Amino acid sequence: MAIGRGQLFRSFREGLLKNAPPTEGRGPTGKENSRLCEKITGFSPGTQRYELWDVINSCCIVSSIPINVLIMSNWCFIRMPPEILLKILSYLDALSLFSIGFINKRFYEMAHNNGMWHKMYSAEYGHSMKWRPKRLDEVLDKLSTVVVQERPEGYWRRLYFRTMAGFNETKWRKELKDINPFTGLPSQTERILRSQRVTWEITVSDKWGLEGTFEQSRAYFSDSSVTVCWSSGRWPSFHQLSTLQLDGVKRQALSSPNINKPGWRSLMAKFDRDTISKSGQVIGRDQLVTLVLFSPSIVIGVWRGRWSIAFVMASFHYHRLVERSLLGTSMCPYSMPENKPPFDDADPDSGLHGYTLRIILHNTVTQIMAGHFSQLYCSKSNETSTQEHTPLSGRISLPWKCEALEGTVENCCMMSLTLMDEYQNPFWCVSTPVSMALNNKEPSNDYEGQHFLIKYQDAEGKVRMDLVWLEEQRQYFLINLVVFIATAKVNKHFGRAY
């Protein structure tokens, strides 16, 4: 469960007592019921099971039912008629009702009751209909009873949390329209993610079916991407992974920071056993860990010699990140809308022109390089290149932390690339871990020093970066950058057949 049972039942009991009428003349008092519970069950105050009887105790005070009528066994709460249980559960708040659905099958079915969730949805998000006449409300209530029952199981529950996730959606959608002309991306992405209380979680299961969910440990925001790290918890062995799922989670605002309640989950990526078995490209290592490139945006650090997971890092590009983190469901990711192809007057024989490239190298601590290249052109082979010399601040490295241990993997970092078309719209967006390798085969004759190469490739394009280490300046310089775009991507973006 996402929250402790003790806290859940204490919250529930407070809600009951808050709405309870005076108990005078209505059966046994709370102290009498408590003593009877302890005498019959043997549970002492402060235990979780006693908390359960404390809930029944409060219910008896409200309904004037003697508690000895309800106590048939240690778990008579489970044996109650469904009508009484539904009445009891109706006192819970939405997120506590969500959590109680994980106790067992019966509670799962009751926690998906359309009637309760429709009532909560109407109370929470039906404020716009408060102006209706009382007579009209009575007619609509009778009609809504039929509509509620016709809906599939769990419909109003899903609608409640989806509405919660998209609450003030119009506001943050307007804020996303504020585009940074330098990057071509929404300038308020970080602020929106923080204001919407968005975090990211990883859920893994091993080959025996054991499942665990890990919350992010920290996040580093740059001007075009966010790097998220997960480093706490007991991870399974890398070779025992069966599935790995990445979700964006919007947390509910809570008065107590120590309570971790569930929120709306938006599926961002899910990898099955076949995908996991094909991954495993090593991109770097230090004395303690080995970095394994798991997907284009995820890298897993495993302890050397054991292959048990030490931490996970992921780099998310800002392009459509807010929508992907909020507007998907727990079963289906957010579907990217199809953009209308922009008008392109370029001659297919001469290639495309007017591109703008923004490329950043960074790690979990600092920015290493930021390059901005405008007025790039693409030849008929869909190759965009630049030879502007750009210095790098510091060495290329990837710091990591895992509970009490920490280290740094040399020659590895994160690369965030944004390629914009002539209308300054994002054309190709990539955020991924990359590694730098020594290049002795194709050194440049114009520079004396060690030459290095950074390469990346996927189905939409590839990147090649040539760097040189100048010993006198004690600094890396980017001396050549080439970006290749797949013809299929160009045709899809512009609606052409080049």
Side-chain angles (χ1 to χ4, degrees):
M1 294 176 60
I3 60 175
R5 292 184 182 177
Q7 176 63 35
L8 186 149
F9 288 125
R10 280 194 295 271
S11 174
F12 173 50
R13 182 178 184 273
E14 291 173 1
L16 286 173
L17 295 178
K18 182 179 178 181
N19 295 282
T23 60
E24 186 176 352
R26 295 179 57 86
T29 63
K31 291 184 178 180
E32 292 173 351
N33 280 341
S34 299
R35 287 196 296 269
L36 185 56
C37 286
E38 186 176 356
K39 181 178 179 181
I40 294 177
T41 64
F43 301 147
S44 58
T47 62
Q48 289 184 354
R49 291 189 175 182
Y50 189 87
E51 300 273 359
L52 181 60
W53 290 109
D54 204 24
V55 174
I56 302 175
N57 174 21
S58 302
C59 297
C60 295
I61 295 175
V62 175
S63 58
S64 71
I65 301 176
I67 196 167
N68 56 354
V69 174
L70 293 178
I71 300 178
M72 304 299 296
S73 68
N74 287 353
W75 290 103
C76 69
F77 190 71
I78 307 299
R79 298 185 179 182
M80 285 183 181
E83 294 81 6
I84 297 180
L85 281 176
L86 289 175
K87 181 64 176 178
I88 294 174
L89 295 182
S90 66
Y91 287 96
L92 293 175
D93 61 89
L95 297 180
S96 297
L97 184 61
F98 175 92
S99 299
I100 208 171
F102 292 93
I103 294 179
N104 56 30
K105 183 177 180 181
R106 189 180 185 191
F107 274 101
Y108 175 84
E109 293 174 352
M110 289 187 296
H112 284 69
N113 181 269
N114 273 338
M116 283 193 299
W117 284 105
H118 177 262
K119 183 178 179 181
M120 289 185 182
Y121 180 84
S122 301
E124 187 73 20
Y125 302 112
H127 303 297
S128 59
M129 304 302 291
K130 296 296 183 181
W131 57 269
R132 297 181 310 197
K134 183 177 180 181
R135 180 62 181 171
L136 180 59
D137 275 340
E138 294 175 356
V139 175
L140 292 179
D141 286 342
K142 293 180 181 180
L143 294 176
S144 65
T145 304
V146 180
V147 175
V148 170
Q149 300 303 326
E150 289 180 350
R151 296 295 187 181
E153 180 184 354
Y155 171 83
W156 291 102
R157 174 180 176 273
R158 291 190 297 270
L159 184 61
Y160 180 94
F161 283 105
R162 184 168 182 85
T163 306
M164 182 183 75
F167 197 60
N168 292 331
E169 180 179 338
T170 304
K171 180 180 179 181
W172 61 255
R173 279 191 179 277
K174 290 181 179 179
E175 293 174 344
L176 283 178
K177 294 180 180 180
D178 183 11
I179 303 299
N180 185 338
F182 196 65
T183 64
L185 301 169
S187 58
Q188 302 294 325
T189 299
E190 179 181 354
R191 196 189 66 79
I192 294 173
L193 290 172
R194 293 186 183 277
S195 65
Q196 293 295 314
R197 298 178 297 277
V198 175
T199 61
W200 295 273
E201 290 186 356
I202 285 182
T203 302
V204 298
S205 62
D206 58 23
K207 59 183 180 180
W208 295 286
L210 298 177
E211 188 176 277
T213 299
F214 302 88
E215 299 179 5
Q216 71 180 49
S217 302
R218 56 196 175 277
Y220 168 77
F221 289 86
S222 68
D223 65 354
S224 60
S225 66
V226 55
T227 302
V228 186
C229 305
W230 298 265
S231 58
S232 59
R234 294 176 61 89
W235 298 84
S237 173
F238 180 80
H239 295 303
Q240 295 174 350
L241 285 180
S242 178
T243 61
L244 186 146
Q245 178 173 313
L246 177 65
D247 296 292
V249 182
K250 177 182 177 178
R251 297 294 183 188
Q252 184 75 353
L254 300 172
S255 57
S256 175
N258 298 322
I259 304 176
N260 182 21
K261 290 189 175 182
W264 176 259
R265 306 183 73 84
S266 175
L267 177 64
M268 298 180 66
K270 188 171 184 179
F271 307 94
D272 56 17
R273 183 176 301 176
D274 294 336
T275 305
I276 295 174
S277 62
K278 295 178 182 178
S279 62
Q281 177 186 352
V282 177
I283 62 172
R285 56 170 55 91
D286 63 7
Q287 295 180 349
L288 296 176
V289 300
T290 299
L291 295 186
V292 180
L293 186 61
F294 183 78
S295 77
S297 62
I298 300 176
V299 64
I300 296 180
V302 296
W303 297 116
R304 294 189 64 174
R306 292 190 298 171
W307 281 90
S308 56
I309 298 176
F311 59 86
V312 178
M313 292 185 188
S315 186
F316 304 131
H317 199 279
Y318 280 172
H319 182 56
R320 302 286 185 183
L321 178 59
V322 176
E323 293 91 336
R324 291 169 57 206
S325 302
L326 286 176
L327 300 184
T329 67
S330 59
M331 301 299 294
C332 182
Y334 168 75
S335 298
M336 295 287 188
E338 293 188 5
N339 296 325
K340 184 179 179 181
F343 174 74
D344 179 39
D345 58 353
D347 185 356
D349 294 329
S350 62
L352 305 178
H353 58 84
Y355 284 92
T356 301
L357 178 65
R358 174 76 172 171
I359 187 167
I360 298 174
L361 297 180
H362 63 88
N363 54 35
T364 56
V365 177
T366 185
Q367 181 173 284
I368 302 172
M369 185 205 78
H372 188 84
F373 310 98
S374 58
Q375 295 301 318
L376 301 178
Y377 69 92
C378 185
S379 64
K380 192 175 181 180
S381 61
N382 294 334
E383 174 184 328
T384 300
S385 63
T386 178
Q387 293 185 343
E388 296 183 22
H389 298 169
T390 304
L392 277 65
S393 58
R395 302 184 68 91
I396 295 179
S397 61
L398 189 62
W400 60 269
K401 290 183 180 180
C402 180
E403 297 178 348
L405 299 176
E406 61 182 42
T408 301
V409 178
E410 298 293 337
N411 300 327
C412 289
C413 65
M414 300 290 181
M415 180 187 73
S416 297
L417 179 148
T418 308
L419 183 64
M420 293 170 280
D421 61 19
E422 56 186 305
Y423 301 99
Q424 299 302 297
N425 296 321
F427 179 30
W428 185 37
C429 300
V430 175
S431 189
T432 179
V434 294
S435 60
M436 182 179 69
L438 189 63
N439 183 18
N440 290 325
K441 296 181 179 180
E442 304 170 346
S444 174
N445 297 325
D446 299 329
Y447 300 91
E448 293 184 0
Q450 287 185 315
H451 289 72
F452 297 88
L453 180 64
I454 295 178
K455 297 174 67 176
Y456 170 78
Q457 181 174 358
D458 61 21
E460 297 185 337
K462 59 182 179 180
V463 181
R464 175 192 171 105
M465 302 176 66
D466 292 289
L467 299 96
V468 63
W469 170 257
L470 299 183
E471 190 65 31
E472 293 183 0
Q473 288 82 4
R474 303 292 299 173
Q475 195 173 23
Y476 286 102
F477 279 85
L478 174 66
I479 59 174
N480 186 40
L481 172 62
V482 183
V483 178
F484 299 85
I485 306 297
T487 304
K489 180 171 181 60
V490 176
N491 291 337
K492 182 180 179 180
H493 183 79
F494 291 101
R496 296 295 185 92
Y498 293 119

